[in-house]
Amino acid sequence: MNKPNNPILIGKVGKSYGILGWIKIFSFTENKENIFDYLPWYFYKQENWIKIYVKKWKQYKNNFIVQIKGTTDRSKAMQLTDSDIIISKSQLPLLKKNEYYWYDLINYDVFNISGKYLGKVIDLIRTKNNDILIIKNESNKKNILIPFIDKTIIKKVNINKKIITVQ
């Protein structure tokens, strides 16, 4: 099968590297090296899916360079630039009770501790100090940014009702 079930974005392909078909990749996984725990990958570019097998990889500056099986020259590697790196949700480890992945929080409703509706989670941003929820508020058309600091600002994440309560 050349298309993942329940696709999840875990990285992005950068420019080609050298003349032997290596490419730069950017990992979106929490621990950057964990991207290699989820092989094979699917590349998605211009509405096309390609199943990818990694032959070799190396750390390169703050990211990685990868040699793809069957890609042996720079021109073939250049065709992969800007592809999304996708996996099937089933490739992720199973979670324990009351655990969740960041992508699971998208579309959760957010309320403050007084019960006032703030909006829906539309994205998360990773920062050096803490992650940030981006909440879309329909009534005032502005996005609200809330630091994801568990127990201090994020009071409760209800997985069953898809609700986040914040201070």
Side-chain angles (χ1 to χ4, degrees):
M1 181 183 74
N2 280 342
K3 186 178 176 188
N5 291 327
N6 298 316
I8 296 174
L9 178 69
I10 62 165
K12 187 91 173 161
V13 178
K15 295 179 180 176
S16 58
Y17 177 86
I19 61 170
L20 300 176
W22 289 73
I23 53 174
K24 294 178 187 173
I25 66 154
F26 303 95
S27 173
F28 299 160
T29 58
E30 189 171 3
N31 176 349
K32 291 190 181 302
E33 204 169 293
N34 285 356
I35 194 169
F36 299 104
D37 293 342
Y38 307 119
L39 298 170
W41 298 331
Y42 297 87
F43 284 3
Y44 188 70
K45 185 176 181 180
Q46 298 170 344
E47 298 184 27
N48 289 314
W49 291 99
I50 309 163
K51 194 170 189 176
I52 297 295
Y53 294 92
V54 173
K55 188 174 179 182
K56 296 180 192 167
W57 64 273
K58 299 177 189 172
Q59 181 97 33
Y60 177 75
K61 297 184 181 173
N62 288 334
N63 289 290
F64 304 96
I65 55 173
V66 174
Q67 189 175 38
I68 304 297
K69 286 183 184 173
T71 304
T72 55
D73 64 61
R74 185 178 182 85
S75 62
K76 206 167 180 186
M78 286 172 67
Q79 295 171 5
L80 300 172
T81 297
D82 289 331
S83 297
D84 289 329
I85 302 173
I86 309 283
I87 61 169
S88 292
K89 184 176 180 178
S90 61
Q91 290 173 262
L92 293 173
L94 293 174
L95 296 174
K96 295 178 185 132
K97 188 177 175 156
N98 296 323
E99 287 185 334
Y100 45 85
Y101 288 109
W102 279 148
Y103 71 83
D104 289 330
L105 300 179
I106 303 298
N107 289 323
Y108 272 39
D109 291 315
V110 181
F111 294 86
N112 69 15
I113 56 172
S114 303
K116 182 180 179 217
Y117 179 71
L118 302 177
K120 276 197 183 303
V121 177
I122 58 168
D123 206 354
L124 287 109
I125 302 172
R126 289 206 174 278
T127 65
K128 192 174 186 178
N129 296 325
N130 53 269
D131 298 324
I132 298 172
L133 289 174
I134 302 175
I135 313 301
K136 178 144 186 98
N137 185 299
E138 288 299 324
S139 62
N140 68 10
K141 302 291 185 215
K142 291 187 178 182
N143 290 345
I144 301 167
L145 304 180
I146 299 175
F148 199 99
I149 303 171
D150 204 23
K151 306 288 184 254
T152 306
I153 294 174
I154 305 298
K155 292 299 184 183
K156 186 173 184 187
V157 176
N158 186 322
I159 298 165
N160 297 326
K161 293 182 180 177
K162 298 190 176 210
I163 292 174
I164 299 172
T165 307
V166 299
Q167 173 75 45

